[in-house]
């Protein structure tokens, strides 16, 4: 590492931290002086460009200390047993594909418990909207009746290889219906 040692680097960092801490203290003292002279926090914010939270912490150092303390207590990573939402979400799988007898044409409006997006109307003649509806129903169905009412077995088989689905959901369906896994494999 040549002429530079680890001690030199630590000294550079220590000088920076000391200078930074002193500058922060001086700035906060000056902001408190302006505030004591009648400047409102909103005026300080407007003039300095600092955020409302920065001004609040400058005017009340105990808030900065509490904020910094809480940041240190917050774990940087989720607990070891944490599961992603897609790995916890309950998914419903049809009993048989033959019971999927949903609409195959026209415009469909999904009920709010399946699609609360505000765009719950699907024109099944438009391939992108059809695929979108199938994805919504597959991921949001709470009962087998939801699946039977809104999905069609032949359309599901046709769309299956191209549907973007959470991996766990796809795995559940392909385990229940190996023909879907075969369709996906053949599409690749």
């Amino acid at each position: 590492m040549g002429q530079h040692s680890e001690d030199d680097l630590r000294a550079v960092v220590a000088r920076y931290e000391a200078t930074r801490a002193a500058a922060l203290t001086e700035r906060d003292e000056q902001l408190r002086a302006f505030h004591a002279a009648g400047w409102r926090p909103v005026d300080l914010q407007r003039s300095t460009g600092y955020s409302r939270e920065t001004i609040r912490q400058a005017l009340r150092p105990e808030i900065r200390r509490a904020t910094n303390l809480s940041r240190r207590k917050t774990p940087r990573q989720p607990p070891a047993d944490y599961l992603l939402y897609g790995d916890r979400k309950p998914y419903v799988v049809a009993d048989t594909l033959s019971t999927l007898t949903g609409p195959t044409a026209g415009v469909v409006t999904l009920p709010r418990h399946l699609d609360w997006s505000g765009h719950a109307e699907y024109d099944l003649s438009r391939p992108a909207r059809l695929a979108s509806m199938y994805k919504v129903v597959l991921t949001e169905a709470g009962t087998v009746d939801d699946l039977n009412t809104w999905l069609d077995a032949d359309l599901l088989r046709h769309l299956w290889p191209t549907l973007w689905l959470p991996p766990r959901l796809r795995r559940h369906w392909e385990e229940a219906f190996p023909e879907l896994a075969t369709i996906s494999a053949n599409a690749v």
Side-chain angles (χ1 to χ4, degrees):
M1 292 186 216
Q3 303 170 1
H4 300 293
S5 70
E6 201 170 303
D7 289 336
D8 294 336
L9 182 58
R10 283 193 190 106
V12 167
V13 171
R15 280 194 309 273
Y16 165 76
E17 292 297 333
T19 306
R20 183 172 160 242
L24 180 66
T25 300
E26 179 186 354
R27 182 202 67 189
D28 288 357
E29 287 171 357
Q30 291 298 315
L31 288 171
R32 283 192 295 276
F34 274 81
H35 186 251
W39 285 58
R40 298 175 307 161
V42 69
D43 298 326
L44 295 171
Q45 184 183 349
R46 182 181 40 76
S47 295
T48 62
Y50 291 136
S51 70
R52 181 183 312 180
E53 182 61 19
T54 298
I55 297 297
R56 187 172 81 98
Q57 288 183 15
L59 298 179
R60 299 192 48 209
E62 69 277 8
I63 291 176
R64 176 173 288 123
R65 282 191 295 278
T67 300
N68 289 341
L69 185 61
S70 72
R71 284 185 183 137
R72 283 185 215 116
K73 289 182 181 176
T74 304
R76 295 197 183 273
Q77 294 193 351
D81 61 346
Y82 178 79
L83 292 174
L84 295 172
Y85 179 70
D87 294 332
R88 297 183 265 134
K89 184 179 187 323
Y91 294 115
V92 179
V93 178
D95 296 327
T96 67
L97 291 180
S98 62
T99 60
L100 302 178
T101 57
T104 59
V107 176
V108 170
T109 301
L110 292 177
R112 197 170 292 285
H113 75 277
L114 290 176
D115 188 338
W116 56 91
S117 70
H119 303 289
E121 202 169 85
Y122 296 88
D123 181 349
L124 301 186
S125 68
R126 297 179 54 208
R129 290 300 285 162
L130 174 65
S132 181
M133 184 189 101
Y134 271 63
K135 177 183 183 255
V136 167
V137 172
L138 287 164
T139 58
E140 301 302 328
T143 66
V144 172
D145 285 341
D146 287 335
L147 300 170
N148 293 338
T149 301
W150 300 107
L151 300 180
D152 175 76
D154 291 334
L155 280 176
L156 180 66
R157 286 183 191 98
H158 174 74
L159 293 169
W160 189 255
T162 59
L163 286 175
W164 185 91
L165 298 169
R168 193 166 135 264
L169 171 63
R170 182 175 290 278
R171 190 171 50 254
H172 285 322
W173 276 79
E174 289 180 353
E175 286 170 359
F177 306 107
E179 71 180 274
L180 294 177
T182 303
I183 291 169
S184 286
N186 290 339
V188 177

